[in-house]
Amino acid sequence: MAGTIHFVADAGIATVTLESPGKLNAVSVAMWQELRRVFEALSGDEGVRCIVVRGAGGNFAAGADLDEFGDVHHDLDSGRRFHLETVVPSLAAIRDVRPPVLAAIEGVCAGGGLQIALACDIRIAADSARFGVPVGRLGFPVVLPELRLLLERLGQAVTAELLLSGRLLDAREAQERGVVSRAVPTAEFEHRVAETVHLIAAGSPLAARRNKAQIRLLVERGMDYTARELDASFEFLDSADYREGIAAFIAKRHPNFTGK
């Protein structure tokens, strides 16, 4: 059965689910392309306050669908097209989407599946989760644009260990090594995910999107910024969300943020 991307949106929360039955949600070319389409559309949706990415059936995703590699990854030209025209733009769409993105991770999260999770802003894992990039066992390295994402999120030491040893980290070690934000007992997993989504959605969409953008700016610039970017970081002072947040605090009521 072909893999699919399921998308639902409710009350400002968008949920994107990877499903590839019998393949641990391995990501097909069609799924990569659909991920890009969905996230590019979500980036322009002002009503979305939080996006959740998860896998169906108790696993996140086991990586790219190797059954397709005979067609899409069999020589220099096809391999370049697969990575540069399919995988890299899809990961960029997830990373660049304006609303905050939470990866809810159970079971296997490996290879391209881990890359998808790392493109998200926050990662919460059940204690059943396992993480790795064992591509060396398949005879190929990670190409430079995808390696950059691993290094930015995990650093040199963790990236090198995952790629060179090919071993999988359990959820506890993944938390200790900074692969995930939190690892929680499976019995608490759905509650903790919902709790985090609620906290994100209750805040100012304007502040969340600006915080996300500025975190990335400083990380990619080595903590440097221009005078123009400094000025832009103060634009919130002229926003409706800022005025509403302060007014609600003083009045001891819940704020009604609009993202403007």
Side-chain angles (χ1 to χ4, degrees):
M1 183 177 177
T4 55
I5 300 296
H6 302 286
F7 168 72
V8 295
D10 180 51
I13 310 303
T15 302
V16 179
T17 304
L18 300 89
E19 182 175 22
S20 186
K23 296 185 177 183
L24 300 176
N25 300 328
V27 187
S28 66
V29 168
M31 291 169 69
W32 284 114
Q33 293 170 339
E34 182 65 3
L35 278 172
R36 179 181 182 182
R37 187 194 70 77
V38 167
F39 275 87
E40 287 179 346
L42 286 170
S43 198
D45 190 335
E46 296 297 330
V48 174
R49 297 194 173 202
C50 182
I51 304 168
V52 180
V53 182
R54 62 191 314 154
N59 288 287
F60 191 77
D65 188 346
L66 299 182
D67 289 340
E68 296 184 332
F69 271 29
D71 296 320
V72 303
H73 207 271
H74 63 279
D75 60 17
L76 181 60
D77 289 340
S78 67
R80 283 181 65 92
R81 285 195 302 272
F82 173 74
H83 289 283
L84 298 182
E85 298 177 17
T86 301
V87 177
V88 171
S90 298
L91 294 172
I94 299 169
R95 181 197 63 201
D96 296 344
V97 71
R98 294 173 65 222
V101 187
L102 185 152
I105 305 167
E106 301 174 273
V108 175
C109 181
L114 179 55
Q115 290 174 312
I116 290 171
L118 292 174
C120 301
D121 302 299
I122 299 171
R123 290 167 289 283
I124 297 179
D127 56 15
S128 64
R130 299 292 181 269
F131 303 84
V133 194
V135 292
R137 299 176 187 174
L138 300 171
F140 60 90
V142 175
V143 299
L144 288 176
E146 297 170 42
L147 180 59
R148 179 179 179 179
L149 175 64
L150 291 170
L151 287 169
E152 285 177 348
R153 293 293 201 253
L154 304 180
Q156 180 178 344
V158 176
T159 298
E161 182 176 1
L162 290 177
L163 293 180
L164 300 180
S165 74
R167 77 183 188 90
L168 298 182
L169 308 181
D170 62 27
R172 178 192 57 78
E173 187 173 5
Q175 177 177 291
E176 292 172 351
R177 306 293 292 278
V179 179
V180 298
S181 311
R182 276 190 290 162
V184 301
T186 298
E188 300 178 13
F189 176 68
E190 294 297 343
H191 173 71
R192 296 304 178 192
V193 169
E195 178 183 63
T196 305
V197 169
H198 173 75
L199 290 171
I200 294 170
S204 159
L206 183 147
R209 294 179 182 206
R210 174 56 68 176
N211 278 329
K212 173 174 177 171
Q214 292 183 161
I215 288 169
R216 181 177 172 192
L217 170 70
L218 291 179
V219 168
E220 292 186 349
R221 294 276 188 82
M223 303 302 163
D224 196 14
Y225 51 84
T226 67
R228 186 173 183 177
E229 289 160 348
L230 174 62
D231 290 342
S233 73
F234 286 98
E235 290 175 354
F236 74 91
L237 290 165
D238 195 31
S239 71
D241 272 9
Y242 173 67
R243 290 190 292 272
E244 169 63 10
I246 297 300
F249 178 83
I250 293 172
K252 296 180 173 56
R253 61 173 174 81
H254 293 294
N256 180 26
F257 292 122
T258 62
K260 297 178 182 179

